[in-house]
Amino acid sequence: MDIPRLNANLEPGLYIVATPIGNLSDLSPRASAILAGVALIACEDSRVTAKLLQHIGVKRPMMPYHDHNADRVRPGLIERMRSEAIALVSDAGTPLISDPGYKLVRDARAAGVTVTTIPGPCAAIAALTLAGLPSDRFLFMGFLPPKQKARADTIAEVAAVRATLIFYESGPRLAATLGALAEGLGDREAGVAREISKRFEECLTDSLSALAARYAEAPPKGEIVIVVAPPGEAPAPNADDADAALAEALTRLPPAKAAGEIARKFGLDRKELYARAMAMKDGD
Ligand code: SAM
């Protein structure tokens, strides 16, 4: 194989290179230059990365780096980075984001190796820009656990988080996951972004339950990101509910303590509740 000479301008170290999530034209000129210049590309699947290299007319040596061999090959890779430029790519998108790489970066930094990132496509961020949901605060959740109990527990952990939630998912599991999200989070607004940057890109938005029903009928093909709106504002306390709670508290507590308990519970004014408690005691 005729391999071009290593680009003498590239300093030794680790280069984290984001690659397209569908549309090959999304590979940045800087990412192309780095891939052309490194001594070695650590990749998930060399067949996938070979297609990308072919697209930019480059041939470079590749080494698989994935969940099954990472622990074994990592020390050798770090050693080579001391004197050579080595890139890390994943099959698509940004390495480390639901993809291998975090331990490679951690160990490279610990070894004093220079780490450079070449930012680019990421399905989570692309979906967030499509869904039209609040983008000021978001929490990336990656893939939910496949088993029902673990999935429900994970959803419950984030139910109170006041941020837009982002999940990766596959077509066959989409409807079940949307149903579990509706159950665990309440029926919030959501977006399902599919095949981003590809020919059949779409992003449907609706309530979680409506999206679950839609995709239960016809499980979609392709790659998917679910984006879920933050919880709504807590509903204003209902006066009848507060009255009922106060009446109940008065069966156990003196008026001042009952008013204090209900004020804390409903976020209401303690003095007003005390006056109401006294009126109740007087038979109002
Ligand atoms: N590192 C990648 C990134 O930066 O987005 C994510 C890798 S993760 C193994 C793959 C998942 O990302 C897919 O199962 C899907 O949920 C999402 N994904 C990747 N490409 C996508 C696309 N073009 N459209 C929608 N979702 C995509």
Side-chain angles (χ1 to χ4, degrees):
M1 189 168 65
D2 180 23
I3 298 169
R5 281 181 64 78
L6 177 63
N7 180 344
N9 294 328
L10 222 44
E11 295 292 329
L14 171 60
Y15 293 79
I16 307 296
V17 182
T19 61
I21 55 170
N23 190 326
L24 290 184
S25 304
D26 291 340
L27 188 73
S28 74
R30 182 170 171 234
S32 291
I34 299 285
L35 292 177
V38 292
L40 177 72
I41 301 174
C43 58
E44 284 185 273
D45 181 340
S46 50
R47 289 163 304 183
V48 174
T49 301
K51 279 193 196 142
L52 182 68
L53 296 184
Q54 196 181 8
H55 174 72
I56 55 173
V58 161
K59 281 188 176 167
R60 302 304 316 151
M62 288 180 272
M63 175 194 275
Y65 183 82
H66 45 62
D67 290 343
H68 304 294
N69 74 347
D71 288 344
R72 183 164 49 80
V73 303
R74 195 180 309 116
L77 274 173
I78 304 275
E79 205 41 50
R80 283 188 66 175
M81 287 169 200
R82 294 181 188 283
S83 56
E84 293 175 291
I86 296 185
L88 174 71
V89 299
S90 49
D91 283 352
T94 301
L96 283 82
I97 307 301
S98 289
D99 267 334
Y102 128 72
K103 289 180 180 166
L104 192 65
V105 173
R106 179 195 65 188
D107 291 2
R109 297 181 70 85
V113 165
T114 306
V115 181
T116 306
T117 192
I118 292 81
C122 174
I125 299 298
L128 183 65
T129 66
L130 276 176
L133 295 173
S135 55
D136 52 337
R137 272 173 151 225
F138 57 88
L139 177 61
F140 174 61
M141 294 292 294
F143 290 95
L144 281 166
K147 292 201 174 138
Q148 210 175 332
K149 164 88 169 65
R151 184 177 64 189
D153 289 349
T154 306
I155 293 171
E157 269 175 36
V158 296
V161 173
R162 306 200 70 80
T164 293
L165 304 174
I166 305 176
F167 302 88
Y168 284 162
E169 194 44 283
S170 68
R173 294 201 323 212
L174 178 63
T177 298
L178 290 166
L181 289 168
E183 201 175 310
L185 302 176
D187 200 11
R188 301 185 194 172
E189 283 299 298
V192 173
R194 216 165 58 79
E195 296 287 89
I196 299 168
S197 80
K198 302 184 197 176
R199 184 156 169 228
F200 296 109
E201 172 179 310
E202 69 172 12
C203 181
L204 299 186
T205 54
D206 208 327
S207 65
L208 280 166
S209 63
L211 288 167
R214 184 193 188 285
Y215 285 113
E217 275 170 25
K221 292 203 168 62
E223 302 197 274
I224 290 157
V225 183
I226 303 170
V227 187
V228 184
E233 293 303 318
N238 174 315
D240 290 343
D241 290 347
D243 257 10
L246 187 58
E248 186 281 324
L250 281 170
T251 64
R252 311 180 266 112
L253 299 168
K257 287 203 165 156
E261 180 183 297
I262 303 310
R264 277 193 302 281
K265 186 168 171 192
F266 285 80
L268 295 173
D269 185 79
R270 194 184 57 80
K271 278 190 186 152
E272 278 177 24
L273 280 169
Y274 178 70
R276 183 85 191 109
M278 294 309 284
M280 280 181 176
K281 274 189 93 66
D282 293 343
D284 177 25

